[in-house]
Amino acid sequence: MLLPREGRRKLETPFLPQPLSCPESMMAWSLVFLSVVLLSAFPGPSAGGHPMPKLADRKMCADEECSHPISMAVALQDYVAPDCRFLTIYQGQVVYVFSKLKGRGRLFWGGSVQGDYYGDGAARLGYFPSSIVREDQTLRPAKTDVKTDIWDFYCQ
């Protein structure tokens, strides 16, 4: 049975925002656009990795994937990495060389170092000047010419 219109209670509805007027709407969208532009131009630490400029277009490796070390070398001096593509190395530290850049990057090799003790942490990977190490032992010949890609110079 329906009550007469006067006896019915008006149902309360949740707050619904009023549509913005044209100038307010334009300003709101402008702020959203500006926020998107700023966030994409200046990503924070949680934004993930990013590609860095390539040091070379080609590299020499022991295999197609550059997964086997070419040689073992010993650092002759300390080297502090200038950015995330490079490897900080300390004098006397053993470096496993996985690649040797060619062309404009020929002065840099790619490799890894471990902490002071085996299992001291994950191996660090990166590039370093070939002039700061002495190759002590060749493990496999670097006979495979490989094209570098964006992942070779990607920073986390």
Side-chain angles (χ1 to χ4, degrees), residues 20-41:
L20 297 174
S21 67
C22 193
E24 290 172 330
S25 177
M26 292 284 288
M27 184 173 191
W29 281 110
S30 295
L31 288 173
V32 169
F33 180 72
L34 180 62
S35 298
V36 169
V37 169
L38 287 176
L39 288 175
S40 62

Side-chain angles (χ1 to χ4, degrees), residues 25-91:
S25 177
M26 292 284 288
M27 184 173 191
W29 281 110
S30 295
L31 288 173
V32 169
F33 180 72
L34 180 62
S35 298
V36 169
V37 169
L38 287 176
L39 288 175
S40 62
F42 304 106
S46 64
H50 58 283
M52 297 288 286
K54 283 177 126 184
L55 298 173
D57 293 320
R58 304 205 66 79
K59 60 186 175 180
M60 295 303 292
C61 300
D63 60 291
E64 285 290 328
E65 294 81 30
C66 299
S67 59
H68 294 284
I70 297 168
S71 62
M72 291 173 56
V74 175
L76 302 173
Q77 65 187 57
D78 291 351
Y79 175 73
V80 178
D83 66 43
C84 59
R85 296 172 294 177
F86 297 91
L87 185 62
T88 295
I89 299 173
Y90 301 102
Q91 184 177 3

Side-chain angles (χ1 to χ4, degrees), residues 10 65 73 108 117 146 151 153:
K10 185 176 179 183
E65 294 81 30
F108 292 98
Y117 299 99
V146 178
W151 300 111
F153 308 104

Side-chain angles (χ1 to χ4, degrees), residues 71-75 93-97 109 133-137:
S71 62
M72 291 173 56
V74 175
Q93 198 167 26
V94 174
V95 181
Y96 288 89
V97 180
W109 292 351
V133 297
R134 178 188 69 236
E135 276 186 296
D136 282 348
Q137 184 177 0

Side-chain angles (χ1 to χ4, degrees), residues 132-152:
I132 66 150
V133 297
R134 178 188 69 236
E135 276 186 296
D136 282 348
Q137 184 177 0
T138 300
L139 302 174
R140 290 186 179 208
K143 292 183 177 178
T144 308
D145 189 325
V146 178
K147 186 175 189 266
T148 61
D149 62 26
I150 191 170
W151 300 111
D152 286 314

